[in-house]
Amino acid sequence: MRPTSSRVPTAFGAAALLAGGLTLGTFSCNRTSEPTASKPAATSTAATVEKPVPEVRRIPAPARIAAIGDLHGDLAATRAALRLAGAIKDSDAWSGGDLMVVQVGDQIDRGDDDRAVLDLFDRLADQAKAAGGSVISLMGNHELMNVAQRFDYVTPGGFQSFLGAPGANPNDPRVASDPEPARARAAAFLPGAPYARMLSKRPVAVVVGDTVFVHGGLLPKHVRYGVERINHEVAAWMDGQSPQLPRIDESEDSPTWQRRYSAAPDAQDCQVLGETLDLLRAKRMVMGHTVQRGGISSACDERAWRIDVGLSAVYGGRPEVLVIEAGKVSVKGAP
């Protein structure tokens, strides 16, 4: 189902057509070969010292962090990854103690269980906090697409699962033109509606200790614009307090869409990553968005960690999580 252009923010209209007139669907989260716009030249930090970089909220690093990649509506794969991380055991209840779990976005689309996955992470966040741990779910491009009423990758089961969603009004005039099977989901994700409000609590990017977590990747221009400003503006749009997504998160090189470090970064890409990390006073960036067929991988002298391993059944990936413990990075795979 595609909504009419009157309900699609500029973000997913003209900006999604930058590469040769392609539609948004071409920029599927897990494609690795789509055309990209020409790379901006690397810029020196010295050229920008006149304007102070906005401060970034830095969460103190706990003893152990487990980072999980894209899940795409697969509850079984989600449970497997959470068990591997040590967050849950035989039930869906938190058992991770003071563990921090960071999931880098794209919990939804492509699978039938996306509502169940969203609800599980929402519950675990509360349970973890009560136990002295934490669960941080980040914004992915598919979360943004759903709030923008773009359902290009929703399965029939993904539409059905939102029937009867509490607080969602399928009679809202804004979704009146949607076909019946899609109306409940559309109503649930409208800005200001229950699932959009749930997502509004999720940051686009977060810095934990010396590690940056983001779905696609941050560039120097994002840091200079302000990471916290991006988080706030995206949240305000999802919560229904702002009429549109911020322009800086609209295009294919936005924090949720770009693949500069997650596909095949060259020396220039690594230079840009280095500048970004210097601005953030961080050692590494952890991201999803682009499937790593061989499992979790690093690039740019281990400053970029790519953790989308295609966990969902639609890709058939093998569960892996990235572990950061006492400042050391390791990969944990299923036995």
Side-chain angles (χ1 to χ4, degrees), residues 88-135:
I88 63 173
K89 292 182 180 177
D90 295 331
S91 72
D92 287 344
W94 179 260
S95 62
D98 61 359
L99 171 71
M100 173 185 284
V101 169
V102 182
Q103 197 283 320
V104 295
D106 278 9
Q107 293 180 6
I108 58 176
D109 285 352
R110 303 185 186 279
D112 293 342
D113 307 324
D114 42 7
R115 181 181 172 191
V117 173
L118 288 173
D119 290 347
L120 175 58
F121 273 91
D122 203 43
R123 291 194 305 272
L124 286 177
D126 291 337
Q127 294 172 10
K129 184 177 180 180
S134 56
V135 172

Side-chain angles (χ1 to χ4, degrees), residues 147 167 174 187-198 200 235-241:
V147 177
R174 291 175 291 175
F189 281 102
L190 283 169
Y195 279 84
R197 290 200 306 272
M198 174 194 289
S200 74
W237 169 62
M238 290 192 162
D239 201 33
Q241 303 301 312

Side-chain angles (χ1 to χ4, degrees), residues 27-106:
F27 294 99
S28 157
C29 179
N30 294 305
R31 287 178 63 95
T32 57
S33 60
E34 82 275 4
T36 58
S38 58
K39 296 175 181 178
T43 56
S44 66
T45 304
T48 62
V49 293
E50 298 176 3
K51 186 175 181 180
V53 175
E55 191 62 34
V56 178
R57 184 172 74 96
R58 193 176 303 271
I59 300 173
R64 186 169 182 267
I65 303 170
I68 299 173
D70 305 31
L71 298 168
H72 284 297
D74 188 326
L75 185 58
T78 297
R79 287 169 169 154
L82 288 167
R83 291 188 187 111
L84 191 59
I88 63 173
K89 292 182 180 177
D90 295 331
S91 72
D92 287 344
W94 179 260
S95 62
D98 61 359
L99 171 71
M100 173 185 284
V101 169
V102 182
Q103 197 283 320
V104 295
D106 278 9

Side-chain angles (χ1 to χ4, degrees), residues 207-246:
V207 180
V208 181
D210 56 9
T211 304
V212 183
F213 296 91
V214 62
H215 183 67
L218 292 177
L219 299 171
K221 70 176 183 178
H222 302 139
V223 182
R224 295 187 181 106
Y225 182 86
V227 173
E228 300 308 323
R229 180 180 175 186
I230 292 171
N231 288 339
H232 174 76
E233 290 178 348
V234 171
W237 169 62
M238 290 192 162
D239 201 33
Q241 303 301 312
S242 176
Q244 64 183 33
L245 187 68

Side-chain angles (χ1 to χ4, degrees), residues 121-146:
F121 273 91
D122 203 43
R123 291 194 305 272
L124 286 177
D126 291 337
Q127 294 172 10
K129 184 177 180 180
S134 56
V135 172
I136 301 173
S137 296
L138 298 185
M139 198 72 65
N141 60 304
H142 283 262
E143 282 81 5
L144 289 173
M145 286 172 65
N146 274 254

Side-chain angles (χ1 to χ4, degrees), residues 1-13 24 108-109 141-154 159 162 168-170 172-179 182-197 199 237-238 243 245:
M1 182 206 107
R2 290 177 184 269
T4 59
S5 60
S6 62
R7 284 172 43 227
V8 181
T10 306
F12 302 125
L24 180 66
I108 58 176
D109 285 352
N141 60 304
H142 283 262
E143 282 81 5
L144 289 173
M145 286 172 65
N146 274 254
V147 177
Q149 302 287 283
R150 291 301 301 261
F151 303 125
D152 306 60
Y153 302 102
V154 179
F159 283 121
F162 281 86
N169 178 16
D172 189 305
R174 291 175 291 175
V175 300
S177 63
D178 292 333
R183 202 169 298 160
R185 185 184 183 108
F189 281 102
L190 283 169
Y195 279 84
R197 290 200 306 272
L199 295 177
W237 169 62
M238 290 192 162
L245 187 68

Side-chain angles (χ1 to χ4, degrees), residues 254-266:
S254 72
T256 53
W257 280 99
Q258 70 112 348
R259 306 178 191 273
R260 186 155 195 173
Y261 319 128
S262 61
D266 59 19

Side-chain angles (χ1 to χ4, degrees), residues 256-321:
T256 53
W257 280 99
Q258 70 112 348
R259 306 178 191 273
R260 186 155 195 173
Y261 319 128
S262 61
D266 59 19
Q268 186 186 65
D269 297 322
C270 291
Q271 180 182 345
V272 173
L273 173 62
E275 180 182 349
T276 306
L277 291 174
D278 286 346
L279 290 170
L280 291 167
R281 304 191 309 280
K283 289 184 178 179
R284 66 188 68 87
M285 189 177 297
V286 177
M287 67 212 75
H289 192 45
T290 304
V291 172
Q292 308 298 306
R293 294 296 182 184
I296 290 175
S297 66
S298 66
C300 302
D301 297 322
E302 297 193 349
R303 290 176 295 174
W305 285 91
R306 294 86 60 89
I307 67 170
D308 179 2
V309 294
L311 280 169
S312 174
V314 71
Y315 296 107
R318 178 175 174 270
E320 286 187 345
V321 298

